[in-house]
Amino acid sequence: METQVVIAGAGPTGLMLAGELRLAGIDVIVVDALPARTGESRAGGIHARTMEVFDQRGLLERMLPHGRPIQAGHLAGLRLDFSDFPTRYPHTLAIVQADIERELDQHATSLGASVRWASPVLGFRQDATGVDVEIGGPDGGWIRAAYLVGCDGGRSAVRKLAGIGFDGTDATMTGMLADVELTDPPAGPLFSQRGGPGDFSVLGFQEGWYRLIVQRHDRVLDRAVEPGFEAFRESFREVAGTDFGMHSPRWLSQYGDAARQADRYREGRVFLAGDAAHIHYPAGGQGLNMGVQDAVNLGWKLATVLRGEAYDDLLDSYASERHPVAARVLHNTRAQTALSRPGPHSDALRELVAGLFGIDDVRRRLGLMIAALDICYDTKSDHPLAGRRVPDADLVTADGAGRVHRLLAAGRPILLALNGGDVPSVEGWTDRVDCVTATCADDRWTVPGVGEISVPAAVLIRPDGHAAWATNGPDDGLTDALSTWFGPAHLTT
Ligand SMILES: Cc1cc2nc3c(=O)[nH]c(=O)nc-3n(C[C@H](O)[C@H](O)[C@H](O)COP(=O)(O)OP(=O)(O)OC[C@H]3O[C@@H](n4cnc5c(N)ncnc54)[C@H](O)[C@@H]3O)c2cc1C
């Protein structure tokens, strides 16, 4: 075996996965078709759960200086206030994808991942023990690995080569965007202003630079054709009535609202993650977030199986947990397209929906969905925290003051025993699970999607930050949870 995992694609999903695997000591080679990183700004923000996931690995503090917090998110351009959400990050972080990718690249390569540019995946063949991956480009050839993960974007070669279906709905509209300078900028940001056949936005996102977006529902452009600047200016002016003196375009792109999802995330030793597994209208800014979270779900599972600790079927839980998450995002983005259509009927619907956002329960339910804080995996455990992300509560441990998410920096499972309760035994798993005893000043935690719960006496936290098991009393079910998620016990007697 030349390496343990080949990752196709050095976008945010592939780089996050490479970092996760290296943290767990797994050999990984990342290959990308491009000659070098483009530095294109692309996505403009991340949400609370992704900030938490980055924070779990100590990455967020490297990104914060490049970003700007914005208290709200949106659904179809209708403001959703996030400020009372139970997280340390009750806001959106406006940060361009290029900055995120650079930090993820540094993280993964500093941990020993190698990234090979100008190296497209051209083919693969798999057998019972591994997969041979054919790489093109000047340093091409075959790489033998135990697994191949296609993080190679919406037009994924890996997905096509694996024969995995990608059904869904076709595009009904076109969005165009340009990063430009303006001689006559508006006084403040304009977000989702409706006009004629669509809407437009003007967002100042870096010193002197503006992102202009125009979304039109009267045309579906071919995404393979690069938009020209004059065509963008013309289209923008038709909707906005002005071009704000746009000039010096740095980057232009276009997108649609096609929504498609891989019908399976796994074909033997080949997996899909990120845009390779799901594409959708970028409204609400959920795609990059979802790719990073796919990677964090898959990484520790691949590592656990590759270290020979758990059986291969642990890997099936990647699809059973992450497929429904993406299906829900596709669903909400289709609803956002419908809400965004021009005309008096949609205007009336938007007014009604905006009114509903004034009801706190409605706003929270939709906002927690966009921020991905309410995700619950089926961990077969009854406790209300089981399957959900564990809140980042302040703690005092033997090492002093700390907090829950910082316990996850090494990407290892944690059994956290709180407030003097009995410390359940993890005998048989001590090589894989770290036990931490701590006090927590809270009596109750607010868990998105559940409400308030009593702070558990013990919680078993997976490396992705989700609770595999929790208890307020006896440790019934702990042994089952340990074997399900981290493999059979290694008993020494
Ligand atoms: C206008 C716009 C705004 C957006 N805003 C947001 C936002 O605010 N928040 C958000 O979360 N998301 C947003 N998104 C979505 C986000 O950009 C994507 O979801 C994200 O880039 C997906 O990351 P990825 O790593 O899965 O795929 P990609 O970023 O597409 O990376 C795939 C990589 O694979 C490489 N590749 C392709 N083919 C091969 C091959 N055969 N072999 C090897 N490598 C290959 C590519 O070169 C590329 O580097 C936005 C998207 C658009 C278009």
Side-chain angles (χ1 to χ4, degrees):
M1 249 352 129
E2 200 174 325
T3 190
Q4 289 174 291
V5 180
V6 170
I7 297 174
T13 307
L15 292 169
M16 188 74 202
L17 180 61
E20 291 292 286
L21 290 169
R22 284 305 305 140
L23 199 58
I26 301 301
D27 288 337
V28 57
I29 296 175
V30 185
V31 293
D32 198 290
L34 291 172
R37 183 164 305 295
T38 64
E40 287 175 353
S41 43
R42 298 190 71 189
I46 53 174
H47 290 299
R49 181 59 192 145
T50 306
M51 284 183 257
E52 289 186 347
V53 160
F54 286 152
D55 181 47
Q56 286 171 186
R57 302 291 187 259
L59 287 166
L60 185 64
E61 56 210 30
R62 295 157 62 156
M63 299 190 187
L64 289 177
H66 306 296
R68 190 167 43 90
I70 300 175
Q71 237 185 23
H74 72 97
L75 191 99
L78 300 171
R79 189 173 190 278
L80 277 171
D81 188 351
F82 289 175
S83 59
D84 61 350
F85 286 2
T87 166
R88 284 184 197 272
Y89 315 105
H91 53 75
T92 299
L93 185 71
I95 177 171
V96 294
Q97 183 163 337
D99 289 333
I100 293 174
E101 287 182 5
R102 196 186 51 248
E103 294 302 332
L104 292 179
D105 192 330
Q106 275 174 18
H107 171 66
T109 48
S110 71
L111 290 169
S114 95
V115 180
R116 299 185 189 171
W117 295 98
S119 304
V121 168
L122 301 179
F124 66 80
R125 50 182 183 235
Q126 55 176 319
D127 54 46
T129 58
V131 51
D132 294 299
V133 186
E134 186 185 9
I135 309 292
D139 302 320
W142 290 84
I143 305 177
R144 174 94 177 150
Y147 295 100
L148 165 66
V149 187
C151 304
D152 49 346
R155 293 171 195 164
S156 170
V158 173
R159 184 186 69 233
K160 290 173 192 159
L161 289 162
I164 294 176
F166 200 48
D167 286 336
T169 46
D170 292 335
T172 64
M173 51 77 72
T174 297
M176 295 169 87
L177 58 93
D179 292 349
V180 293
E181 294 179 75
L182 300 180
T183 51
D184 188 17
L190 297 175
F191 186 64
S192 239
Q193 304 283 303
R194 285 160 75 74
D199 57 69
F200 68 96
S201 303
V202 180
L203 312 162
F205 74 101
Q206 273 171 351
E207 197 55 47
W209 285 97
Y210 293 84
R211 171 164 291 185
L212 268 50
I213 304 172
V214 57
Q215 306 198 113
R216 303 191 56 139
H217 292 259
D218 58 344
R219 59 189 63 167
V220 178
L221 298 180
D222 180 356
R223 288 206 49 212
V225 179
E226 289 292 315
F229 182 51
E230 284 314 315
F232 175 80
R233 185 203 298 279
E234 189 55 29
S235 196
F236 188 92
R237 205 190 268 136
E238 276 172 29
V239 175
T242 170
D243 71 359
F244 298 107
M246 63 174 84
H247 63 95
S248 312
R250 192 167 68 174
W251 181 61
L252 281 156
S253 187
Q254 65 186 38
Y255 57 88
D257 65 327
R260 300 183 179 284
Q261 188 172 16
D263 58 31
R264 53 198 194 281
Y265 281 16
R266 173 178 196 184
E267 179 63 41
R269 296 181 160 272
V270 178
F271 292 82
L272 299 177
D275 277 17
H278 36 71
I279 57 159
H280 54 83
Y281 181 34
Q286 301 168 89
L288 182 155
N289 288 270
M290 212 168 18
V292 166
Q293 290 167 44
D294 284 350
V296 170
N297 185 289
L298 179 60
W300 68 270
K301 292 174 182 172
L302 274 175
T304 305
V305 171
L306 278 164
R307 285 195 303 257
E309 293 164 359
Y311 299 115
D312 178 273
D313 58 4
L314 174 65
L315 297 173
D316 292 334
S317 70
Y318 164 62
S320 62
E321 293 185 341
R322 295 301 298 171
H323 197 280
V325 170
R328 186 174 74 152
V329 170
L330 264 62
H331 190 258
N332 84 47
T333 59
R334 286 187 183 112
Q336 294 192 68
T337 300
L339 269 171
S340 301
R341 291 201 173 111
H345 301 88
S346 303
D347 289 345
L349 181 61
R350 290 173 71 81
E351 222 177 289
L352 280 175
V353 171
L356 291 175
F357 288 0
I359 303 170
D360 274 347
D361 280 351
V362 174
R363 174 183 58 83
R364 278 199 207 103
R365 179 159 169 176
L366 294 171
L368 291 170
M369 171 186 74
I370 296 284
L373 284 167
D374 63 346
I375 288 168
C376 183
Y377 300 137
D378 181 8
T379 57
K380 314 270 185 276
S381 175
D382 295 335
H383 194 277
L385 189 58
R388 298 189 179 266
R389 113 305 174 215
V390 179
D392 187 23
D394 289 320
L395 301 173
V396 179
T397 68
D399 295 330
R403 54 194 177 85
V404 172
H405 289 183
R406 279 301 162 92
L407 299 175
L408 295 164
R412 284 172 59 82
I414 303 284
L415 181 77
L416 177 62
L418 289 163
N419 297 338
D422 288 343
V423 182
S425 167
V426 294
E427 196 199 343
W429 287 272
T430 47
D431 56 335
R432 281 161 275 170
V433 178
D434 296 334
C435 284
V436 177
T437 54
T439 54
C440 171
D442 310 327
D443 294 328
R444 302 183 74 72
W445 285 344
T446 305
V447 178
V450 175
E452 288 213 345
I453 63 165
S454 303
V455 170
V459 53
L460 179 64
I461 312 176
R462 308 189 324 185
D464 56 9
H466 283 252
W469 168 93
T471 186
N472 288 78
D475 60 6
D476 297 354
L478 175 60
T479 307
D480 282 350
L482 286 163
S483 339
T484 301
W485 297 107
F486 311 119
H490 290 172
L491 293 174
T492 46
T493 51

